[in-house]
Amino acid sequence: MGKEYNALITSSTWRLVPRPPGANVVTSKLLFRHKYHSDGSLIRHKAHWVVRGFSQQADVDYNETFSLVVKPAMICTILSIAALHVWPIHQLDMKNAFLHDHLEETVYC
């Protein structure tokens, strides 16, 4: 939980402000998971801060939604094409990738 919180603070993702009158506040929560080795032993505890977008209101606090989810079929397709053309394949795991972009909208959480 500390690493997740520090990543948000370090990147200046948010700042504490008074709630404006009439603003819809999107609720959030921390999700906790355990990561395990293939033998079942514990690797680490993980925490993710997630905003519960279902509390947003159409035409009030969003215009469109986007989810950074890759479908397994797409990964298989890309790997098949790369193997067919003998392209090198590299893996990148970017922690907190969502922190590296800027929103044009103001969202109150």
Side-chain angles (χ1 to χ4, degrees):
M1 189 168 78
K3 287 181 183 179
E4 181 78 1
Y5 179 75
N6 287 335
L8 295 170
I9 295 298
T10 302
S11 64
S12 300
T13 302
W14 57 271
R15 60 191 160 110
L16 186 60
V17 298
R19 179 182 178 164
N24 181 42
V25 176
V26 180
T27 58
S28 61
K29 66 179 178 178
L30 278 167
L31 293 180
F32 298 96
R33 288 181 34 191
H34 296 108
K35 297 291 281 188
Y36 297 98
H37 290 287
S38 58
D39 66 0
S41 61
L42 182 67
I43 298 173
R44 67 180 178 274
H45 302 280
K46 291 192 76 167
H48 295 285
W49 179 65
V50 294
V51 176
R52 302 180 332 173
F54 61 81
S55 64
Q56 293 177 302
Q57 300 172 6
D59 298 325
V60 173
D61 54 8
Y62 75 86
N63 294 323
E64 61 185 56
T65 59
F66 179 74
S67 177
L68 291 173
V69 177
V70 177
K71 294 184 178 182
M74 180 57 72
I75 294 173
C76 288
T77 302
I78 291 171
L79 290 175
S80 297
I81 293 170
L84 180 68
H85 295 286
V86 194
W87 292 340
I89 299 170
H90 303 280
Q91 178 182 349
L92 171 67
D93 184 17
M94 179 178 270
K95 292 183 178 182
N96 301 309
F98 66 94
L99 298 177
H100 300 282
D101 200 6
H102 298 281
L103 289 177
E104 294 177 9
E105 303 83 7
T106 301
V107 179
Y108 294 97
C109 299

